[in-house]
Amino acid sequence: LYTAPDSCEGRCEEPYSEEDECHCHRECERYHSCCQDYHRHCRPDGFSSSRDAISDEELLHVSEQLYKLDHNKARPADIVLNPQYQASPGETGDQEDHSPQPLYKYVNEELFSKPTYASFIKLLDNYQRVTGREEDVTAEELREQDNFLKEVMKTELMRKLFAFLHKKNRYGSEQEFLADLKEMWFGLYSRGSGEQDSSGFEHVFSGEVKKGKVSGFHNWIRFYLLEKQGVVNYYSHNFNGPWDTYPDVLGLQFSWDGFYKEVGSAFIGCSPEFEFGLYTLCFIARPGRACHLSLGGYSLSIQTYTWTKSTYGHGKKYIATAYVISP
């Protein structure tokens, strides 16, 4: 049950926002800005009633709760960064390596033995990074997907997220939530000409190469492991978030095997379940729009997009992308 940007399903009485394509609060009729299905959905009974809408205030509250529940995040001593050169907005497309040293001076790799990290890392080599090449998913890779989902669902953070979405009538049971996570994140679709070559998980966490450029690739663990192998070359950063503990946020410029990423925003030092949970929350609550959250008292926004060319289930949408908006 996704709140599509052009529909009132699950959005009745959602507060007005200029960013919305159309609106679902009582005032929309006066301003002639209602979504086409406003009258069909915004009645007192069933899903889509005002009590099921996820308000801006609720997003701020639940994101702070998830932030506090990231028990597996890096401690301050676990990561030493060397951000070096800060690029101006006009320099991010220059493709110049302004930072001779790697971004990561040190990472305590004991983190990677935690169950959610270990199961996450196993997923990263399951993908053909070039779009247009069919993904060949083996039985072992399907088991790795299930194992990752099983491990993240054991965490207090993901249980809190489920409890919130359950209360908002998005899911009737944890099994239903788990099955939907698997489809929305790991379900395959085509970014090329018909090949089953992509998924939300591959794009966001592992990264892809499309038309000679890096596409997606918003994960710090993936970046660190490839930088350590000498495959990723850090160029500069254009944004360094206000956090003095982890998770932090950076906007990065880098090349991956010679393919360039102009701005690759990423959480730094968070657990896999934190990033996975926050992106899921925003995809369900504000798909196709900026999702405004609060982490440790600081504002942060996440942008998600739905994949519009194919669906699963009864018209549900796959995740096309999700990333932190770096100013």
Side-chain angles (χ1 to χ4, degrees), residues 207-241:
E208 298 181 293
V209 172
K210 185 174 183 182
K211 295 180 180 172
K213 289 185 177 177
V214 176
S215 182
F217 196 143
H218 298 286
N219 179 256
W220 77 270
I221 300 166
R222 173 72 160 162
F223 189 101
Y224 165 74
L225 292 171
L226 291 181
E227 186 180 60
K228 187 180 168 190
Q229 290 171 28
V231 180
V232 157
N233 182 12
Y234 168 71
Y235 282 16
S236 54
H237 68 286
N238 63 298
F239 174 73
N240 191 343

Side-chain angles (χ1 to χ4, degrees), residues 281-302:
L281 169 67
C282 284
F283 181 70
I284 291 169
R286 300 285 187 271
R289 294 173 282 158
C291 173
H292 304 301
L293 308 177
S294 179
L295 303 182
Y298 292 104
S299 297
L300 173 118
S301 299
I302 285 171

Side-chain angles (χ1 to χ4, degrees), residues 36-99:
Q36 283 187 333
D37 58 4
Y38 171 73
H39 292 286
R40 181 155 60 91
H41 285 299
C42 296
R43 55 188 188 278
D45 55 337
F47 175 71
S48 302
S49 68
S50 59
R51 69 180 176 274
D52 295 334
I54 296 173
S55 70
D56 291 350
E57 291 71 27
E58 285 172 319
L59 281 174
L60 296 175
H61 181 64
V62 75
S63 55
E64 282 289 2
Q65 289 182 312
L66 299 180
Y67 180 75
K68 289 186 178 75
L69 291 175
D70 191 9
H71 303 313
N72 287 327
K73 69 183 177 187
R75 295 159 305 185
D78 286 334
I79 298 175
V80 181
L81 289 177
N82 183 16
Q84 300 164 83
Y85 188 79
Q86 180 154 4
S88 68
E91 291 178 303
T92 59
D94 287 353
Q95 304 196 29
E96 282 193 43
D97 185 359
H98 294 288
S99 302

